[in-house]
Amino acid sequence: VTNAARFGTAGGSAVAGSGTGQGLTDVKTYSFGHNYSLSPTFLMDGVFGFTDMDQVVETHDLDLGNYGQDVLGIPGTNLTDNQSCIVNDTNYCGGVPRFSVSGYTTFGQADGWSPLVRDEDSFTFSYNFSWSRENHELRFGYDLVRHMMDHWQPEIGAGPRGRFNFNREMTSVLDGDNTQENAWASFMLGLPSYMGKSLQWELMTLREWQHAFYIRDRWQITPKLTATLGVRYEMYPLVTRGSRDMETLDINSSVPCEPGSADQCFEMTLGNDIKTSKKLFAPRIGLAYRISDNDVVRAGYGLTFSPLPFARPLRGFYPLTIAADFNNPNAAWVPYTDLTEGIPTFLGPDAGPGAKIPLPQFVQQRSMPLDFV
């Protein structure tokens, strides 16, 4: 009771309340460019850019340490032996677990997406050549983009501190009426209807290359008519993790969740055989006709390809983040366990690149389609 004020409430401004904490985003951008005349009609130019973004968001209750374990005495909350929480000498699993009692304001740290530590780097490189001859101006070059992302942020699921829900049915008469006081009684007895936790098993990493070659001719057909003709070839290799290919889920596979288990799970592979297109040619054409000194009519057509937008949607699911949910699916009035037992210990897969592993029933996962081209 004496520590209740430190719990905070969802939507409030107290310690461990929803949205409370502090964030620091540091973005540095560097660029270097040059141009050089090889001859009066042949020029070259290039530019190199680098963006370094570092972001840290910390909740106000991190200084409380392993509050769920050391003060409330609930096993499995906060930092445990099976997870990596220490980043830059800070325990990012510290603080108050979340408690949701039906009919009452949530207390404890309500944000599942924080805290977080992000490191994102991007390189861009472009090199071009221009050659003028009579009524033609030819330009060609190469563009390169490199994205690198490293995130510690077990945002999906219940969060790194743990979460407990208490319903009304747990202490009510079977098939009878119930009130929010029944939910509070469940809380006082330590009988959650749900408990969960998010485990950062593997650092969320993404590596992506983008390549493009182009050639363009600006042709002055007559003093009034100019045509611009060109083609761009683009190549987008499939994004990868920092040390392996992207994981994929085989929804047609059904294997035992664990040795000797009668339950069946899908199978996922820490790798893939997905190929991306090598035929991304994008033609462009433009026409400009000068009617008078003040009027020009223009028309054009171009084809553009969008880069693969996989970085964000595939950022942090199994096996990077293990979002474990524990509840009793058979009856709302039977707890999975009580607070004295706490959140069960769970782990991610101990497998290397290319390994096939069963997908546990209690986790969340998102995958690319296997027939993607």
Side-chain angles (χ1 to χ4, degrees), residues 41 43 129-140 216-220 227-229:
T41 59
L43 311 175
F129 296 88
S130 298
W131 181 41
S132 300
R133 183 177 177 83
E134 298 178 351
N135 58 342
H136 291 271
E137 191 228 346
L138 192 68
R139 186 167 174 83
F140 56 94
R216 182 268 293 163
D217 180 24
R218 180 177 291 144
W219 176 24
Q220 188 171 1
T228 302
L229 307 171

Side-chain angles (χ1 to χ4, degrees), residues 52-55 117-121 148-152:
D52 176 20
M53 190 202 82
D54 298 303
Q55 185 179 50
V117 181
R118 295 173 175 172
D119 181 11
E120 300 180 10
D121 297 327
M148 296 178 291
M149 185 188 82
D150 297 280
H151 284 188
W152 188 99

Side-chain angles (χ1 to χ4, degrees), residues 62-196:
L62 284 181
D63 64 319
L64 298 178
N66 295 326
Y67 196 92
Q69 293 183 44
D70 299 339
V71 178
L72 302 179
I74 306 176
T77 56
N78 304 115
L79 173 63
T80 55
D81 292 338
N82 64 323
Q83 67 184 129
S84 175
C85 294
I86 308 300
V87 182
N88 300 327
D89 299 324
T90 299
N91 174 18
Y92 282 95
C93 294
V96 183
R98 180 176 181 176
F99 297 89
S100 296
V101 183
S102 178
Y104 295 89
T105 301
T106 297
F107 53 95
Q109 182 60 42
D111 293 328
W113 60 267
S114 62
L116 62 86
V117 181
R118 295 173 175 172
D119 181 11
E120 300 180 10
D121 297 327
S122 293
F123 295 91
T124 59
F125 174 76
S126 180
Y127 216 81
N128 312 282
F129 296 88
S130 298
W131 181 41
S132 300
R133 183 177 177 83
E134 298 178 351
N135 58 342
H136 291 271
E137 191 228 346
L138 192 68
R139 186 167 174 83
F140 56 94
Y142 167 68
D143 293 329
L144 168 70
V145 176
R146 172 65 165 170
H147 295 308
M148 296 178 291
M149 185 188 82
D150 297 280
H151 284 188
W152 188 99
Q153 187 184 6
E155 64 172 321
I156 63 172
R161 296 162 294 272
R163 175 178 173 177
F164 303 91
N165 293 353
F166 300 87
N167 64 12
R168 304 181 182 193
E169 292 81 5
M170 195 69 64
T171 59
S172 65
V173 177
L174 185 62
D175 296 328
D177 295 333
N178 55 66
T179 66
Q180 67 182 50
E181 284 75 16
N182 287 108
W184 190 257
S186 299
F187 170 67
M188 296 299 292
L189 292 172
L191 299 176
S193 57
Y194 160 89
M195 61 177 63

